[in-house]
Amino acid sequence: MSTEQRHDTRGLWHDNPALVQLLGLSPLLAMSDATVTALALGLCTLLVLMCSNLCTSLLRNRLSPALRLPVFALLIASFTTVLELTMSAYAYPLSQRLGIFLPLIAANSLLFARAERCASKASPSIAVKDAVLMGLGFLFVFIALGMTRELLGTGQLFADLEQLLPFAANWKLSVFGDAPLPLALLPPGALLLLGGFAAFKNVLDQRRARTLPEPELPPPGSKRVRVTGQL
Amino acid sequence: MSEIEPQAQDTGKREASPLLRHILPLVAVALLAAVLLSLLQSATAERATAARRAAERAALEAVLPPTQHDNDLLTDSFVLDPAAPQFTQQELLGLSAPRTAYLARSNGTPSAVILPLETRGYRGPILLLIGIDREGAITGVRAVEHNETPGLGDKIDLDESRWILGFDRRSLDNTDPVLWRVKKDGGEFDQFVGATQTPRAVVGVVRQALDFFELNRAALLGD
């Protein structure tokens, strides 16, 4: 349990789902071409992750190993459908823009990974905390990527944000007259930028490791990945 | 079932009906989810339909101002199916799948049509809508779906540039048929820096739509 707990709080940075675990890349790359879509899909993923982690954790003692995965899939798909129905009623243009990636939240590997690795073994409070941290870690990278791509690819920021937040109608900023780097809007641009972000994170980590040499190493005996032959 | 149970109970209470015990949570979760989802669906269905209709209406109003008709376009529509063409030279519209066309009326008389168009852009199909009034003049053109290169070909999108407004009020009468080309090809319409193929395709299919309208004028407007 203590290993789980420690590695919960790492979701924001050290085990960031988008930058380190590289989970849920397909929506991350496809829907980060504008701040509004990135924010919307990141929030949706966070919500579904919280609900599915909570329910998985509540059911954890009743599930046999054989039926665990079908129940996870059912829970995640149900919460995704709830979100999809709600969005198509209350934020129709945005739900059209997110298109297939809204229902595809149900197939996001991040959700299964958290249900399996954390929520099925931990108490509800720990499971929800894990979901919040992992979801926020994903959301922050999503928003950062969305803002960067929108800024470089269109020269603007926060266009159409009112599709998600009705009070944000006049938030659109025209930063550059012309798009400085249209490549940023294309899928390759998304991949390059995400790689850049991951590299930047590693540089920061290395800097920090050099200035304070000891604390960040995981304590001995807490291996997450078992290396063959070293059981 | 009742004959087996006493035997099973001999081996221990917990094993009474292992299959049931395993499957029960799954069934319970599935049932609960199904009930809640169907409740939610019926609660949101009306609002979702209204939102979808509003979005469709807005898209149609972009190519045909509401001042030019007084009917509900969404109910005055017909489907153009490329597999079963009902009009002369329907292939001029370039459709690869069935799409809806709309008839606008003013005091009951047909005043304009909105036709779906499709053409091949640089990076895949471009779907457009065009409004054409009785006189054969364009009331508006919009790209409703495309994948053109950001910063280059995507200037056909009104979000990116005002280029597509250049078709407004044009007709085969006021623009000579040979001038329905991009400037590079000796026509009247601007191409984009670094992207000629996209505007060339759009200008071409818009011209074809006008040809289609002339050929089928009577059938479309019911004259």
Side-chain angles (χ1 to χ4, degrees):
Chain A
M1 189 57 74
S2 67
T3 346
E4 272 313 323
Q5 241 166 334
R6 182 168 43 247
H7 124 262
D8 287 346
T9 54
R10 297 158 62 106
L12 272 183
W13 184 261
H14 286 279
D15 271 344
N16 186 297
L19 290 182
V20 180
Q21 307 182 55
L22 299 175
L23 291 173
L25 275 196
S26 126
L28 184 70
L29 294 179
M31 279 293 122
S32 60
D33 55 351
T35 314
V36 59
T37 50
L39 180 63
L41 207 59
L43 281 176
C44 290
T45 312
L46 173 65
L47 275 176
V48 176
L49 184 56
M50 280 166 63
C51 297
S52 77
N53 257 19
L54 176 64
C55 290
T56 309
S57 167
L58 289 174
L59 286 171
R60 70 187 186 282
N61 295 327
R62 301 183 181 276
L63 295 181
S64 63
L67 281 180
R68 224 174 43 218
L69 280 177
V71 173
F72 293 168
L74 194 61
L75 285 173
I76 294 171
S78 306
F79 286 117
T80 307
T81 314
V82 168
L83 215 66
E84 202 192 340
L85 288 171
T86 317
M87 294 262 304
S88 67
Y90 292 91
Y92 183 78
L94 190 59
S95 77
Q96 286 302 99
R97 229 172 126 173
L98 295 177
I100 188 66
F101 289 99
L102 196 51
L104 270 185
I105 291 177
N108 193 326
S109 44
L110 171 62
L111 303 173
F112 283 91
R114 292 333 293 163
E116 170 78 25
R117 273 193 226 147
C118 173
S120 62
K121 297 168 197 144
S123 70
S125 65
I126 292 176
V128 171
K129 197 174 123 207
D130 170 80
V132 170
L133 291 170
M134 283 287 167
L136 281 181
F138 188 67
L139 176 67
F140 287 152
V141 175
F142 217 150
I143 295 178
L145 197 58
M147 287 176 63
T148 315
R149 287 182 67 192
E150 186 177 358
L151 186 64
L152 294 178
T154 68
Q156 297 170 337
L157 259 186
F158 307 130
D160 300 326
L161 202 58
E162 70 274 11
Q163 287 181 344
L164 181 67
L165 312 166
F167 54 84
N170 298 317
W171 283 25
K172 185 163 123 175
L173 297 174
S174 291
V175 184
F176 306 109
D178 212 5
L181 184 69
L183 168 71
L185 279 191
L186 296 171
L191 198 60
L192 289 172
L193 278 172
L194 184 68
F197 282 11
F200 182 63
K201 178 195 172 293
N202 286 346
V203 168
L204 284 185
D205 282 351
Q206 280 172 8
R207 281 264 168 79
R208 213 158 48 158
R210 227 173 287 150
T211 46
L212 358 140
E214 354 136 52
E216 296 301 336
L217 290 170
S222 72
K223 284 177 228 128
R224 269 199 300 135
V225 179
R226 209 175 263 163
V227 180
T228 322
Q230 292 192 357
L231 291 172
Chain B
M1 195 65 175
S2 54
E3 292 147 282
I4 302 171
E5 249 174 20
Q7 269 189 335
Q9 266 172 356
D10 292 343
T11 62
K13 264 187 235 163
R14 288 260 150 223
E15 316 264 316
S17 49
L19 191 66
L20 199 67
R21 209 167 57 86
H22 283 169
I23 287 193
L24 209 60
L26 178 63
V27 174
V29 170
L31 277 180
L32 197 66
V35 170
L36 289 181
L37 284 180
S38 62
L39 284 179
L40 182 68
Q41 161 127 51
S42 53
T44 54
E46 202 176 320
R47 225 193 135 103
T49 318
R52 184 165 49 77
R53 300 212 128 213
E56 283 171 11
R57 254 184 217 116
L60 296 178
E61 275 174 16
V63 295
L64 184 68
T67 49
Q68 301 205 11
H69 66 94
D70 51 19
N71 62 329
D72 182 7
L73 294 173
L74 292 180
T75 54
D76 238 336
S77 62
F78 52 96
V79 173
L80 292 171
D81 186 352
Q86 315 109 290
F87 293 98
T88 321
Q89 293 195 33
Q90 196 173 307
E91 67 279 4
L92 284 172
L93 302 179
L95 302 182
S96 63
R99 278 174 66 199
T100 312
Y102 305 86
L103 185 62
R105 293 172 199 273
S106 202
N107 296 320
T109 350
S111 56
V113 284
I114 296 178
L115 297 172
L117 300 178
E118 180 174 338
T119 185
R120 282 213 73 73
Y122 185 68
R123 295 177 62 202
I126 304 175
L127 305 186
L128 304 121
L129 279 178
I130 183 172
I132 306 173
D133 69 13
R134 287 192 76 83
E135 282 69 49
I138 294 174
T139 57
V141 184
R142 291 291 181 280
V144 287
E145 222 181 291
H146 70 84
N147 267 315
E148 296 310 288
T149 322
L152 299 173
D154 73 342
K155 292 195 177 72
I156 55 167
D157 198 322
L158 189 61
D159 289 344
E160 306 299 327
S161 127
R162 296 172 56 79
W163 180 81
I164 200 111
L165 299 178
F167 290 112
D168 291 2
R169 289 178 306 283
R170 289 210 186 247
S171 67
L172 292 176
D173 291 334
N174 64 23
T175 306
D176 194 279
V178 296
L179 294 177
W180 281 91
R181 295 193 178 129
V182 291
K183 284 183 176 156
K184 199 178 192 173
D185 301 338
E188 282 238 321
F189 297 88
D190 285 329
Q191 61 264 4
F192 310 139
V193 175
T196 314
Q197 206 169 328
T198 312
R200 189 183 274 155
V202 172
V203 171
V205 78
V206 167
R207 155 88 208 271
Q208 282 172 225
L210 291 175
D211 288 339
F212 173 82
F213 178 80
E214 289 307 323
L215 283 168
N216 295 285
R217 199 193 151 80
L220 285 168
L221 297 179
D223 287 354

